[in-house]
């Protein structure tokens, strides 16, 4: 089984994502989806960095000829899922921010009115 | 009938004063929603006697009018007159809009009948007509100028009409109102293209405009 710098980088990023999952729980952010993505992607990266030949098995399961194809398919799918999650999250945050803006302007005005009285 | 005018404003210091003065003659209160202007819009609006609601950051005209609607609903006004701060909307037309609003839910000042639409650039004319036909067909409503921001609403309609778009809100709002069965009428008003201030139609808006319109229409059709 041959290891390279790529394995090392994958291992570091994987551990970083696992640590992020731990921090999400530790700080009680209650962001379950973020926790799930961090732990899932982190564990996956640690797994493939320690067992680089695992993708040959994945390629066989997916019916692909080469493990490179399997890596491409799995990474693309993971990327799509991540982008969809992030876009969803951005939209939700923007919505909340916009409503907060509305709320703040109304409250600020009420405060000014009471100060004037 | 208690009437409030909502004027969304962003960097409109050159025109907002005269718009407030003209509008104040026809309503009980003028509310300027400042969308985080960099110029003196807030001070000028206050100097001219308007109630000013200040956004903490810029959201777009859709967000600004939503804040104004909320003010009107919370303060129990009966009618809301919406006027642009750039001077494009003639406050002199407000009495005609209010008169029509006595027996309907929403009145739109239309540039179609007055011929003002012909003064607009071709791209905008095509866009306005295309969107108007789309909304008219999907909402089963007879409108000729769906993107006009010069409007009067019955406050009871606004309570159940929460548009999500922070920028191009008019299409989504009109379609949602039509699908709720609101009685929408139009009054012919002359409205020349704006001469003061920066238009909301910048290059990036122009590029994104079709996608935002599709989003607005799809949102109304799918979620409402």
């Amino acid at each position: 089984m041959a290891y390279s710098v790529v394995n090392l980088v994958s291992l570091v990023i994987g551990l970083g994502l696992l640590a992020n999952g731990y921090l999400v729980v530790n700080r009680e952010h209650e962001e379950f989806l973020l926790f799930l993505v961090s732990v899932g992607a982190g564990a996956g990266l640690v797994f493939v960095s320690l067992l680089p030949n695992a993708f040959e098995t994945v390629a066989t399961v997916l019916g692909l000829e080469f493990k490179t194809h399997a890596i491409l398919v799995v990474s693309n799918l993971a990327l799509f899922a991540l982008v969809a999650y992030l876009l969803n999250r951005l939209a939700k945050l923007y919505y909340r921010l916009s409503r907060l803006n509305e709320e703040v302007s109304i409250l600020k005005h009420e405060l000014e009115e009471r100060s004037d009285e | 009938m208690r009437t409030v005018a909502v004027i969304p404003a962003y960097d409109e210091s050159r025109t907002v004063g005269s718009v407030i003065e003209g509008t104040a003659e026809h309503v009980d209160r003028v509310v300027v929603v400042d969308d985080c202007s960099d110029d003196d819009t807030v001070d000028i609006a206050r100097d001219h006697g308007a109630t000013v609601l200040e956004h903490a950051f810029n959201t777009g005209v859709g967000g600004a009018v939503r804040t104004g609607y909320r003010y009107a609903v919370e303060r129990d006004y009966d009618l809301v007159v919406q006027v642009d701060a750039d001077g494009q909307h003639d406050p002199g037309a407000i009495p005609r809009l209010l008169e029509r609003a006595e027996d309907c839910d929403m009145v739109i000042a239309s540039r179609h009948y007055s011929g003002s639409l012909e003064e607009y650039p071709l791209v905008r004319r095509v866009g306005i007509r295309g969107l108007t036909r789309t909304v008219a067909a999907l909402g089963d409503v007879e409108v000729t100028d769906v993107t006009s921001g010069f409007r009067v609403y019955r406050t009871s309609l606004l309570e159940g009409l929460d548009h999500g778009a922070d920028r191009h809100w008019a299409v989504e709002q009109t379609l949602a109102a039509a699908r709720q069965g609101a009685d929408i009428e139009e009054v012919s008003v002359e409205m020349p293209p704006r001469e003061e201030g920066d238009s909301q139609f910048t290059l990036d808006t122009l590029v994104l405009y079709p996608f935002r319109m599709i989003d607005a229409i799809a949102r109304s059709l799918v979620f409402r």
Side-chain angles (χ1 to χ4, degrees):
Chain A
M1 204 180 291
Y3 290 99
S4 66
V5 180
V6 175
N7 294 81
L8 183 66
V9 172
S10 303
L11 183 66
V12 171
I13 295 174
L15 290 173
L17 285 169
L18 285 175
N20 186 50
Y22 169 75
L23 287 175
V24 167
V25 177
N26 194 38
R27 290 173 183 167
E28 297 177 352
H29 281 177
E30 296 186 11
E31 290 289 353
F32 185 67
L33 202 55
L34 182 61
F35 167 75
L36 216 60
V37 169
S38 297
V39 171
L45 278 174
V46 170
F47 179 72
V48 294
S49 65
L50 295 176
L51 299 167
N53 289 337
F55 266 105
E56 279 180 4
T57 313
V58 178
T60 310
V61 172
L62 292 176
L64 298 168
E65 196 176 345
F66 303 110
K67 73 172 180 180
T68 47
H69 290 175
I71 293 171
L72 194 68
V73 168
V74 171
S75 57
N76 270 337
L77 290 175
L79 199 64
F80 284 146
L82 192 66
V83 167
Y85 166 70
L86 290 174
L87 285 177
N88 183 40
R89 194 150 172 76
L90 272 177
K92 194 186 275 184
L93 286 174
Y94 185 80
Y95 174 83
R96 287 179 181 170
L97 205 59
S98 178
R99 299 300 159 133
L100 199 62
N101 199 21
E102 190 179 314
E103 190 79 34
V104 167
S105 60
I106 298 270
L107 288 173
K108 190 179 172 189
H109 172 67
E110 283 178 8
L111 193 68
E112 285 168 356
E113 271 186 335
R114 289 188 186 184
S115 306
D116 292 341
E117 282 171 4
Chain B
M1 290 267 211
R2 292 178 71 233
T3 308
V4 61
V6 170
I7 304 178
Y10 176 66
D11 286 353
E12 302 286 7
S13 59
R14 284 178 292 182
T15 50
V16 73
S18 58
V19 172
I20 293 167
E21 280 178 18
T23 305
E25 295 173 18
H26 311 290
V27 297
D28 298 308
R29 183 177 288 268
V30 177
V31 175
V32 171
V33 185
D34 178 67
D35 201 16
C36 203
S37 295
D38 294 318
D39 64 6
D40 300 329
T41 300
V42 170
D43 295 332
I44 293 170
R46 285 211 173 97
D47 290 345
H48 283 80
T51 296
V52 180
L53 303 176
E54 292 176 74
H55 274 182
F57 55 87
N58 181 267
T59 52
V61 67
V65 295
R66 208 171 43 226
T67 302
Y69 300 160
R70 187 164 163 186
Y71 177 91
V73 170
E74 286 182 3
R75 304 286 171 121
D76 291 326
Y77 282 94
D78 300 301
L79 293 171
V80 177
V81 182
Q82 190 172 300
V83 188
D84 279 359
D86 59 8
Q88 194 187 6
H89 300 160
D90 176 17
I94 291 174
R96 286 195 292 130
L97 294 175
L98 287 173
E99 191 183 333
R100 181 65 67 87
E102 282 175 11
D103 46 18
C104 67
D105 300 310
M106 183 195 289
V107 182
I108 301 173
S110 172
R111 294 164 282 192
H112 175 77
Y113 298 115
S114 66
S116 295
L117 202 54
E118 299 305 320
E119 297 169 34
Y120 284 69
L122 179 67
V123 176
R124 283 197 65 185
R125 278 206 314 268
V126 170
I128 290 168
R129 288 191 173 128
L131 288 167
T132 299
R133 283 183 190 144
T134 307
V135 170
L138 294 174
D140 192 22
V141 61
E142 285 182 27
V143 286
T144 61
D145 191 357
V146 77
T147 62
S148 167
F150 195 12
R151 299 174 175 215
V152 173
Y153 308 94
R154 198 163 283 279
T155 313
S156 52
L157 172 71
L158 293 174
E159 286 179 57
L161 200 66
D162 188 12
H163 64 264
D166 275 350
R167 294 191 186 276
H168 307 291
W169 51 276
V171 169
E172 181 189 341
Q173 186 197 61
T174 312
L175 184 53
R179 287 168 66 83
Q180 277 181 24
D183 185 5
I184 303 171
E185 302 281 334
E186 285 187 317
V187 167
S188 174
V189 174
E190 286 188 14
M191 220 183 293
R194 62 182 286 161
E195 291 167 1
E196 298 278 353
D198 299 321
S199 171
Q200 60 170 314
F201 288 89
T202 53
L203 185 63
D204 69 318
T205 349
L206 202 65
V207 174
L208 294 173
Y209 193 72
F211 300 104
R212 286 181 175 148
M213 289 305 108
I214 291 168
D215 170 68
I217 291 168
R219 204 169 340 163
S220 292
L221 292 178
V222 176
F223 297 111
R224 293 169 190 235

